[in-house]
Amino acid sequence: GLETYQKILAEAMEELGVETGISTRGNGESFVADCTIETDQQALIPDSYIDVTAEKMRVYKQMDSIMNEKDLDRFKSQMVDRFGKMPEELENLFYVVKVRNMGSKLGFEKIIIKNGMFIAFFINNQMSPYYKSSTFDSVIKKIVENESLLNLKQSEGRLKIVARGIDSMEKAYGLIRKL
């Protein structure tokens, strides 16, 4: 459900950006337009929390448009004030958005969080200026500093980071913050 929603929303936002000439995901130094997240964790707004579809869509859109952590935390507080204590699935969704935003800033095109594994795929284009950037250098240094936790691997021409024992969105968020 979330992946389909993200795809539809991304297409709509891209279309809006093309129509208006405004970048819909302008994050300055980012080398990645968007970071895709795949997870086996439940990450959604359950009907038991918000049962009006239009309201859910508004909340999803607003969450998707928030690019910094402070604003996302503020929005989360507003949600708790308005709808009450959040269920785990919605907490996970907030972590998904945080991981996606950080992943995009760090140069990851895709992050998979499944079966206790965290796999972050770097930019596929090996000629990208990203690989000569201070962002890439910083990520590599953090991998070396955390070599007991993080492994740098390359398969099928793609560079990726692999970590084991990441069995929750909260742990995934803690891990990506270390980068």
Side-chain angles (χ1 to χ4, degrees):
L2 175 66
E3 290 172 18
T4 303
Y5 165 77
Q6 284 180 327
K7 183 179 176 187
I8 292 169
L9 184 60
E11 288 171 4
M13 295 300 284
E14 188 63 34
E15 195 173 296
L16 178 66
V18 169
E19 288 175 7
T20 61
I22 297 170
S23 171
T24 57
R25 289 194 78 77
N27 19 358
E29 266 292 297
S30 182
F31 294 91
V32 178
D34 196 12
C35 177
T36 305
I37 305 291
E38 282 183 30
T39 183
D40 56 5
Q41 306 284 315
Q42 286 272 323
L44 54 90
I45 303 170
D47 289 340
S48 60
Y49 193 70
I50 299 176
D51 61 351
V52 178
T53 303
E55 183 65 18
K56 263 192 211 180
M57 292 303 289
R58 188 193 66 73
V59 170
Y60 279 127
K61 278 183 182 177
Q62 193 162 355
M63 284 180 76
D64 189 59
S65 70
I66 299 172
M67 301 310 294
N68 76 55
E69 195 168 333
K70 191 183 285 184
D71 289 343
L72 196 59
D73 288 340
R74 189 175 306 120
F75 182 64
K76 185 177 177 181
S77 287
Q78 291 170 353
M79 294 277 297
V80 171
D81 288 348
R82 185 169 173 201
F83 298 105
K85 184 181 183 309
M86 285 190 182
E88 185 179 355
E89 304 97 324
L90 186 51
E91 291 280 354
N92 282 342
L93 184 59
F94 273 91
Y95 282 122
V96 165
V97 174
K98 288 180 179 185
V99 168
R100 186 194 68 196
N101 289 347
M102 291 183 93
S104 183
K105 288 176 186 157
L106 292 170
F108 302 131
E109 288 183 330
K110 181 178 186 177
I111 298 174
I112 300 172
I113 305 156
K114 289 184 179 176
N115 301 319
M117 302 271 296
F118 175 97
I119 306 168
F121 293 87
F122 285 96
I123 293 173
N124 196 25
N125 178 3
Q126 296 173 356
M127 301 306 290
S128 169
Y130 168 75
Y131 290 106
K132 293 181 176 156
S133 72
S134 60
T135 302
F136 179 70
D137 289 343
S138 175
V139 170
I140 295 300
K141 284 177 187 166
K142 295 292 185 180
I143 292 168
V144 171
E145 289 171 11
N146 294 285
E147 64 184 331
S148 62
L149 179 63
L150 302 168
N151 295 301
L152 187 62
K153 297 186 177 195
Q154 187 169 4
S155 63
E156 300 173 15
R158 293 218 55 191
L159 195 60
K160 60 187 174 186
I161 297 172
V162 178
R164 298 183 189 288
I166 307 299
D167 57 3
S168 71
M169 289 308 302
E170 186 174 5
K171 286 183 181 178
Y173 174 66
L175 175 69
I176 203 164
R177 283 192 61 133
K178 291 180 182 178
L179 299 172

